Amino acid sequence: SDYYRGTCWYYKKLGKIKKEEDEVIYLEFEGVHSIADVYFNDKLLTHHEGGFSTFRCRIDENLNDENIIKVKVDNSPNDRIYPQWADFTFFGGIYRDVNLIRTNITHFDLDYHGSRGIKVTPKLNKKKWEVEVETYLVNGKGSKLIYTLKDNAGETLFVGYSDSPEFKFEIENPHLWNGVKDPYTYSIDVKLVRDDLELDNVSVTFGLRTFKIDPEKGFFLNGESYPLRGVSRHQDRLDKGWAISKKDHKQDIDLIKEVG
């Protein structure tokens, strides 16, 4: 309990950022703990609370020949951001990637709760799998959506079209997702098109599976008993805090698999 909890600042200079007339540009933060204020050329663009979720802010309305990003980060104890007590350390800072995103002014909504502007919901209905795709668009009027379903090998299963932000389809005789034994996934690629010009696209993977919990018999996946053996794993390393590498993540997963 003797580690620093308080406010620190990050600074970064960027040169001139070229912007096309029909473009918007965002900064994306994949993880900052736990309170972040993002300034771009001394203008406060966003205030974000929560250390484990992605957030973004639009920067193209404040571009100069030289641009300065300032991020105020605070991991002080408080009474409103979960968690404040646990068996791990609440390291502060920008500990996941920061990305610069360019997209057309007509795009999948980057301000929709830090998501990619798309939601895929599979449901089993009388032995048929129904998949509902919901998209969230910005300036989407007059555009259409092209949906391409692919299997785990990337082969196209069907292509559908819609003028609506919602689209439903069925998958007959599907290959089910079955945990670590067979983590099979499909993907849905969605293109946003107007006048035959592709403006934006997103791709999402998803699995089809059923599950239930029986108080006497335990957990069932796809109708079969599937014992769950859990571990408690934290995203930290000595001298790195939470800013760990992909190699560190993989080592943790390999250790978890090794112990069963």
Side-chain angles (χ1 to χ4, degrees):
S1 300
D2 60 351
Y3 62 100
Y4 180 78
R5 297 190 70 178
T7 300
C8 289
W9 288 82
Y10 290 80
Y11 295 84
K12 185 173 182 65
K13 287 185 179 181
L14 295 176
K16 186 174 183 178
I17 300 172
K18 293 183 179 180
K19 173 186 173 296
E20 301 297 331
E21 190 173 329
D22 60 350
E23 270 190 332
V24 292
I25 304 174
Y26 278 81
L27 276 178
E28 176 183 72
F29 295 83
E30 294 185 1
V32 182
H33 196 267
S34 59
I35 302 173
D37 291 298
V38 180
Y39 296 82
F40 192 79
N41 294 329
D42 290 327
K43 181 177 180 180
L44 177 62
L45 295 188
T46 192
H47 172 84
H48 180 79
E49 298 188 356
F52 306 101
S53 54
T54 295
F55 66 96
R56 306 182 182 101
C57 56
R58 186 174 164 182
I59 66 171
D60 57 275
E61 297 169 320
N62 302 90
L63 295 177
N64 295 329
D65 288 341
E66 183 178 79
N67 301 281
I68 299 177
I69 305 169
K70 299 178 184 178
V71 187
K72 177 184 177 183
V73 184
D74 185 4
N75 69 332
S76 300
N78 62 71
D79 60 0
R80 68 188 185 281
I81 300 173
Y82 178 87
Q84 286 298 319
W85 183 92
D87 63 339
F88 59 89
T89 303
F90 303 127
F91 292 111
I94 301 174
Y95 68 94
R96 293 179 184 160
D97 287 348
V98 181
N99 304 302
L100 188 72
I101 299 175
R102 292 176 176 271
T103 188
N104 192 279
I105 196 167
T106 298
H107 58 274
F108 292 93
D109 193 354
L110 292 167
D111 291 314
Y112 187 71
H113 304 295
S115 75
R116 301 179 65 195
I118 185 171
K119 181 168 67 174
V120 178
T121 308
K123 295 178 182 178
L124 180 61
N125 185 12
K126 297 180 181 179
K127 297 184 180 181
K128 284 188 176 182
W129 280 95
E130 297 178 347
V131 181
E132 180 180 16
V133 183
E134 299 172 75
T135 56
Y136 304 89
L137 307 176
V138 176
N139 299 319
K141 188 176 180 180
S143 59
K144 67 178 181 180
L145 296 157
I146 303 175
Y147 300 83
T148 304
L149 177 69
K150 297 181 180 181
D151 63 15
N152 197 54
E155 296 295 326
T156 297
L157 301 179
F158 90 88
V159 178
Y161 303 85
S162 176
D163 297 324
S164 166
E166 296 181 358
F167 185 74
K168 293 182 180 180
F169 60 91
E170 293 183 352
I171 300 179
E172 296 184 3
N173 303 314
H175 190 142
L176 298 183
W177 182 92
N178 197 33
V180 295
K181 297 177 183 176
D182 185 13
Y184 188 95
T185 56
Y186 294 87
S187 66
I188 185 80
D189 300 342
V190 188
K191 294 180 180 179
L192 180 59
V193 177
R194 183 184 293 132
D195 299 328
D196 296 324
L197 179 65
E198 182 180 327
L199 304 175
D200 198 5
N201 64 79
V202 292
S203 180
V204 177
T205 57
F206 63 95
L208 305 176
R209 80 286 182 273
T210 62
F211 61 90
K212 71 173 184 177
I213 298 174
D214 185 291
E216 303 296 331
K217 299 179 180 180
F219 180 79
F220 285 77
L221 178 66
N222 299 327
E224 297 182 359
S225 176
Y226 196 100
L228 297 180
R229 303 180 180 93
V231 296
S232 180
R233 181 259 178 179
H234 300 310
Q235 55 178 6
D236 53 25
R237 280 291 190 283
L238 179 66
D239 297 329
K240 293 184 180 181
W242 286 354
I244 64 177
S245 67
K246 290 182 179 180
K247 182 179 179 181
D248 296 326
H249 284 294
K250 184 179 185 304
Q251 184 182 52
D252 280 357
I253 297 301
D254 288 343
L255 290 169
I256 289 169
K257 290 172 72 175
E258 182 182 320
V259 299

